[in-house]
Amino acid sequence: MDAVVSPDPATKPLRAALVGNPNCGKTSLFNQLTGSRQKVANYAGVTVERKEGALTTPGGRKIRLLDLPGAYSLSATSPDEDVTRDVCTGRHAVEPRPDLIICVVSATNLALHLRFLLELCQIGRPIMVVLNMMDEAERIGLTIDVPGLASALGLPVVPAISLRRSGVTHLLEALDRPDPPPPAPIPEGADLHAEVAALIGRYTNALSLRGDRLADRLDRWFLHPVWGPVILLVVLFFMFQTVFAWAQPVMDALEAGITALGEILLSPLPQGLLRSLLADGVIAGAGTVIVFLPQILILFLWILALEESGYLPRAAFLLDRIMALAGLSGRSFIPLLSSFACAIPGIMAARTIQNPRDRLVTILIAPLMTCSARLPVYTLLIAAFVPHRTVGGIFGLQGLVLFALYFVAIVSGIVAARLMTRGVTSDEHPLLLELPPYRRPNLRSLALGLWQRAVMFLSRVGTIIVSLNVLLWALSSFPAPPAGATGSAIDYSLAGMIGHWMLPVFAPVGFNWQICVSLIPGLAAREVAVSALATVYALGATEDSAATQLTPLLSAHWSMATAFALLAWYVYAPQCISTLAVMRRETRSLKVVIGAAAYLFGLAYAAAFLTYHATLALTG
Amino acid sequence: MTETLIVAFIVLAAMLFWLGRLFPAGAAGFRSRIGLGSRVSGPGEIRKGCDNCRGCKGGGCH
C-alpha cells in the first residue's frame, strides 16, 4: 500500500466515484479536487445528478472523478438515489462501474454515515474512506483513532477538510498509492447498526460527548411551533426590505455611470442608424438591466448565507405542516426554495421526492416561486409606481410591496398544489430530515458565490439581453415609415405591427402595444422584458437620455392599473422557455408541459385582468 | 454606407447567436460544414449530465 504508482500518461485514467450520505461534503471535495465550482450548501439534496471532473494527482496519476448524489442506503427510494445505486452497482445505462469508490463520511455524524459505508462494502469494489469535516469534529471535542478505524474496517481511511485546499493533501497522497483490494463483505444478516455502534465505541470518544449545546439552544427557538414561523417570517421580511434599502445608493451610482458612458460613446457619432442601434438597442437594453445587479446580489447574499448557516432545513421542517395543507410533504420545500433563485434547479431538485405524484405537483408549482429574473421587472414597476415612503415609521412601502408579491406567489403555489392533489392522498413517507450543524457562513465562500452570480448575470446581459435588444431594435426600426407618415416611426415598424396585432388580446388586462412587444423577447428570459421596454420607449423618444430613464418614462405613460396588472401577470406567467424545456425533460411528457403552460398563462391573464379592473375601480 | 454595413453585421451576428441557441444541432452541423468543427472537450471539463446543456457555466443554471 505504500508504493507510489509511477505516472504513465498512456494508461487509462482511474474512474473514481465520490459516494456518501447527503451533506457530508462530497461536492466540496469534488470542487477542491477538480477545481470546479459546483453548487454546495449546508443541507441534504443539493446534488441530484452525477457530475464529472478530472484531476491529476501530485504523482501524475490521472483520475476521472464522479460526484454522485447523496444516498442513505443502496435501497434507492428517489430518482437521485437511483443514480448513485446504479453507478455503484454497475447497472447505470451510460456510466461504467467505478474502479474506486471514495466513500465520504462526515466525522461529526459517524453513526449514520458508517452504516452506509458498511453497506457499500457488500458490492465488492475497492473503497477508500474520506473522513471529512475533521475541523468540526475537533471543534466539538470529538477524537477519532484513524489508524485504528482503518485497521478495523480493512480500508484506507484518510482525514480531510474539504473546505480548505490544504485539507485534501492526505487524500491526494493516498490516491497516488495503489488501489486497495475490495473489502471483505460483511457476513449476511449482520446487524449493521450494532457494527457501527461497536466501531464508534472502540475508536472515538463520541459516546462521552454531550452534543452541540449552542445548536440545541438555537433549535429550541428556530423549531418552536410558534416562534419558529415568526422568526422565519421576520427573516424573509427583513430580506426583502434590504433588497430596496441597501441597493439604492449603488443603483443610483450605476445609473449615473451608464449615462456617462453612453454620452462618451455616443458623442462622436452622428445621428443615424449606428447611433440609434447603440443608444436605443445596446445601451438602453443592457443599461436598464445592469442597474438591478445590486438588488440581485443582495437577494443572493441572503440566500447563500441562509444556505450555509444550516437554517434552511429547519425552515423545511417548520413548513412541513403548511406543505401538508397543500397536499405535499416538507420534502418539496428544498426544490421550491431553490426555485426562488431559478426554477430550473428547483425542478431538477424535485428528483429527491420519492412519490411521483408529489414530484409532479412540485414541478408544476415551481415556476410560481419568484425567481430572481422577475426582480428587475418588479423593482422597476415598484420604483415607478409605489411611493418611496415608510409605513409605521419603520418599514419601506416599496419593500412591503415586494414582500407581498413574493407572499402572493407562495400562497398561490400552495393553493394550486392543494387543487392538484385534492382527493388523492399522498403515500410519501413522513418527512425525515437530517438537520445539519449550524455553521457561520464563510466569507470567502459567500464572496465567491456572489462573484459567480454577478458574472452569470453580466454574461447574460452581454449575450442574451444585448443580442435580443439588437434584434428588437431592428424589428422596431424597419420598415421605415412611409412618406408623409404622421405617427411615430416605430408605429410603422414590424415590432409596432406585432404589438398592435397582439393588442386586442391584452387590452382587456390594461396592456398597451409596447408591453405586448416586450412580452415576446421576455419569453427567452423574464428580465429581457425590462430591456425590451427600454428599447421600445427609447426609439419612440427624442432624446438619448430616455434610454436610461425608463422609470420616470413609465410613470408618465402608464396608469397605476396597467403597472399593477403587469406585476400580477409576472407573478404567474411561465415566461421562460428554458423552464418549460426542463419541465419536459424531467417529466418526459409534452402533455404536462402544455398543461403547465396553459394553467400558468391562464392564471396570469386572470390575475392581470382582476388587478387591472380592481385598481381602476379604486383609483377612479 | 460603412455605417449601414456595421449595423447589418451586428444584427446578423445577433441573429446567428439566437439561431445557434434555438437550433444547437443544426448550428453545430453548419459550423462543421464550414470548417469550424465542434470544440474538443478538455480533460478537466465538467459535464453535468443535463443532455449536454452548457447553460450552467460551472455553477447553477444560467
Side-chain angles (χ1 to χ4, degrees), chain A residues 59-103:
Chain A
R61 192 180 199 189
K62 292 194 186 316
I63 297 176
R64 207 181 127 233
L65 192 65
L66 280 182
D67 179 20
L68 295 177
Y72 289 104
S73 84
L74 288 174
S75 317
T77 52
S78 58
D80 59 325
E81 286 186 342
D82 282 346
V83 176
T84 301
R85 181 203 55 205
D86 290 350
V87 172
C88 288
T89 54
R91 280 190 276 165
H92 196 273
V94 184
E95 198 60 53
R97 210 172 182 190
D99 303 316
L100 174 69
I101 289 176
I102 302 175
C103 181

Side-chain angles (χ1 to χ4, degrees), chain A residues 36-38 49-54 272-274 277 342 344-345 456 460 463-464 467-468 470-471 473 524 585, chain B residues 3-4 6-7 10-11 14-15 17-18 21 43-51 53 56 58-62:
Chain A
S36 74
R37 289 174 179 179
Q38 296 298 327
E49 57 184 358
R50 73 188 205 287
K51 290 167 193 161
E52 184 188 322
L273 275 182
L274 187 57
L277 170 65
C342 170
I344 292 171
M456 271 181 236
R460 243 163 103 81
T463 52
I464 292 176
S467 59
L468 270 176
V470 166
L471 293 178
W473 172 87
R585 204 188 64 203
Chain B
E3 191 187 355
T4 311
I6 294 170
V7 169
I10 295 172
V11 173
M15 210 186 292
F17 172 81
W18 273 98
R21 277 185 77 91
E45 193 148 338
I46 305 302
R47 288 193 295 115
K48 284 190 76 181
C50 341
D51 295 341
C53 165
C56 60
C61 284
H62 300 303

Side-chain angles (χ1 to χ4, degrees), chain B residues 9-47:
Chain B
F9 176 77
I10 295 172
V11 173
L12 189 70
M15 210 186 292
L16 287 175
F17 172 81
W18 273 98
L19 283 174
R21 277 185 77 91
L22 293 171
F23 308 103
F30 176 73
R31 273 200 301 271
S32 63
R33 271 201 300 280
I34 60 166
L36 298 168
S38 59
R39 193 167 52 89
V40 178
S41 303
E45 193 148 338
I46 305 302
R47 288 193 295 115

